[in-house]
Amino acid sequence: MASSNLRSRANFTANNQHDSPKLSTERSSSASKLNADEDEGPSRPSVLDILRVLAGLILLSITLSYFITGNSITWGYRPAFTRPARIKAWLRGPLNLTDTQLSLYNGTDRNLPILLAVNGTIYDVSAAPHYYGPGGMYGFFSGRDATRAFVTGCFDTDLNGDLRGVEEMFMSEDLSSDGEFTREEKRERKLRKERERRLAKKQVEETVRGWERMFDGGKDWNYFKIGKVWRGEGSGWEGWGEVKELCEKARAGRPGRTAEEVA
């Protein structure tokens, strides 16, 4: 009996000694994993987490937009792809017309869009027939290139695209008498005139660009560019003719300059 107990204890001790390296290895492995997890720090957000956050922000923006504006989920902005006329024009491609052809798109034919041109570029303004259609406040702009009138403000005489000489409305009018000037004074007057003309032409360009921005989307994207006025060979265009004088309204708005200011 005693010898049997001794053999059992010996076997138990041997088994423990045999298993101890395995237990030590498992404990070391667990400790290593724990240390590695601690070194990595907090886990990074997954793609799904990011998508959830973005979806929540979009939903919040839509909800606030609707309650604040009362009728829009995009804060009053209407992308171009939500406008059927714009999509149709994009699919059709650029529409290049002569001045004669453009005159047909003045709103009198309801089967045609209402078009106007600024500096040779054609824009669709069909979204505002109450302004640009027949009887509208600005109906005289439709069916033509009236760039000169957009700059001078003379809607009765300048409904054409001829910008030659328009820069003079931004140039000082010489109010001095026709007295004698020295050679140096004449040179100074000439240089000043050239400098003023360059600046005045830039003002004309900026004014035209402002109208172009308005009709090519502008604030509400109601209008959009649709093509170009074709004035090449075979178009029937004979030019603008002689350079026109400034209209009365444009002349009246010119700044004055005295002889003392020239000197």
Side-chain angles (χ1 to χ4, degrees), residues 4-235:
S4 177
N5 290 335
L6 289 173
R7 282 196 299 272
S8 298
R9 290 176 182 175
N11 291 336
F12 178 76
T13 304
N15 290 336
N16 284 344
Q17 291 176 350
H18 177 73
D19 293 340
S20 59
K22 182 177 180 181
L23 290 173
S24 299
T25 302
E26 291 178 353
R27 288 170 183 168
S28 300
S29 177
S30 299
S32 299
K33 291 181 179 178
L34 181 60
N35 290 334
D37 292 340
E38 290 177 351
D39 292 340
E40 290 178 359
S43 59
R44 297 179 180 178
S46 65
V47 175
L48 183 59
D49 293 332
I50 295 174
L51 292 177
R52 285 173 178 168
V53 172
L54 291 176
L57 292 175
I58 293 173
L59 181 61
L60 177 62
S61 176
I62 290 173
T63 304
L64 290 175
S65 174
Y66 183 79
F67 278 103
I68 292 175
T69 64
N71 57 7
S72 173
I73 63 174
T74 57
W75 299 96
Y77 171 69
R78 288 186 60 191
F81 61 79
T82 65
R83 302 175 185 274
R86 195 178 183 92
I87 296 175
K88 183 178 178 181
W90 179 77
L91 293 174
R92 183 179 59 233
L95 180 64
N96 297 326
L97 304 171
T98 64
D99 287 279
T100 301
Q101 293 170 333
L102 178 60
S103 65
L104 301 176
Y105 294 80
N106 60 2
T108 55
D109 187 344
R110 295 190 176 183
N111 296 319
L112 298 176
I114 304 175
L115 308 179
L116 59 77
V118 177
N119 202 26
T121 301
I122 302 174
Y123 300 94
D124 190 319
V125 294
S126 304
H130 51 293
Y131 285 135
Y132 298 102
M137 186 183 303
Y138 306 118
F140 45 79
F141 285 133
S142 301
R144 68 179 83 210
D145 185 338
T147 311
R148 189 181 182 93
F150 279 118
V151 178
T152 64
C154 297
F155 303 141
D156 51 345
T157 61
D158 285 351
L159 292 175
N160 57 76
D162 186 8
L163 291 176
R164 294 175 301 170
V166 174
E167 70 275 4
E168 291 186 5
M169 67 179 292
F170 297 110
M171 297 174 64
S172 300
E173 187 175 9
D174 193 352
L175 302 180
S176 62
S177 61
D178 296 331
E180 292 293 330
F181 294 97
T182 65
R183 182 176 181 180
E184 186 61 29
E185 288 174 339
K186 290 180 179 179
R187 179 176 175 276
E188 176 62 27
R189 286 166 63 86
K190 181 180 178 181
L191 292 175
R192 179 166 184 163
K193 198 78 171 179
E194 292 174 352
R195 184 167 58 250
E196 278 190 321
R197 189 171 296 278
R198 287 195 300 270
L199 294 175
K201 286 184 176 181
K202 287 184 178 180
Q203 283 187 273
V204 173
E205 292 173 359
E206 291 174 0
T207 303
V208 173
R209 278 198 296 268
W211 287 107
E212 289 173 336
R213 285 192 295 268
M214 172 185 169
F215 289 114
D216 191 17
K219 178 181 178 181
D220 300 319
W221 287 89
N222 287 327
Y223 317 131
F224 54 93
K225 182 166 57 178
I226 198 173
K228 290 282 188 178
V229 179
W230 178 49
R231 299 188 177 114
E233 185 178 353
S235 64

